[in-house]
Amino acid sequence: MEILKPADVMMSDWNVIVIIHQGAKIEKFLGYWHQKDTYRISSQIESYDSETGRGRTITGSRYKFLDKPGVLHPEAQSIFDMLDKSNNVIVSLKYPSFNN
């Protein structure tokens, strides 16, 4: 996975992925990144405002969500599935996803 610099990100087909590793819990945005036409998984979430559809990560990236959290884009879903198969972490989606 490529480490990305802080950016302004427009995202859709997304959710918050909750990752528990060695007892520590972190939350990251995971979805379709419009500017790059691929998936993106963020660094740890600093804030998310469901009213404005905006979020920020601890590394300074700013997110604008084009839809509500829910079903992941197929590329993002493949990343979720890969993490879910790992023996070292427990992953889940924070918001209901009726297609998974």
Side-chain angles (χ1 to χ4, degrees):
M1 237 179 270
E2 180 183 355
I3 303 296
L4 302 171
K5 295 179 181 177
D8 289 323
V9 178
M10 285 193 315
M11 188 175 275
S12 67
D13 304 314
W14 71 283
N15 208 314
V16 171
I17 184 171
V18 179
I19 303 169
I20 300 173
H21 177 64
Q22 297 180 342
K25 175 181 163 184
I26 61 171
E27 296 183 353
K28 298 180 173 213
F29 300 122
L30 174 61
Y32 179 73
W33 184 13
H34 282 263
Q35 294 99 315
K36 298 290 183 174
D37 194 28
T38 190
Y39 78 90
R40 181 174 174 122
I41 187 167
S42 74
S43 58
Q44 186 170 344
I45 296 170
E46 179 179 83
S47 65
Y48 168 62
D49 184 338
S50 63
E51 294 295 317
T52 63
R54 296 190 182 273
R56 186 174 180 91
T57 64
I58 62 169
T59 58
S61 290
R62 294 177 300 266
Y63 285 75
K64 170 66 179 155
F65 301 100
L66 303 178
D67 52 11
K68 299 289 184 190
V71 177
L72 294 171
H73 182 272
E75 287 184 42
Q77 183 66 50
S78 69
I79 298 303
F80 178 89
D81 293 343
M82 179 188 69
L83 290 170
D84 195 34
K85 290 178 184 171
S86 173
N87 293 329
N88 300 326
V89 299
I90 299 169
V91 297
S92 61
L93 296 177
K94 184 170 185 174
Y95 299 102
S97 173
F98 300 107
N99 217 21
N100 294 337

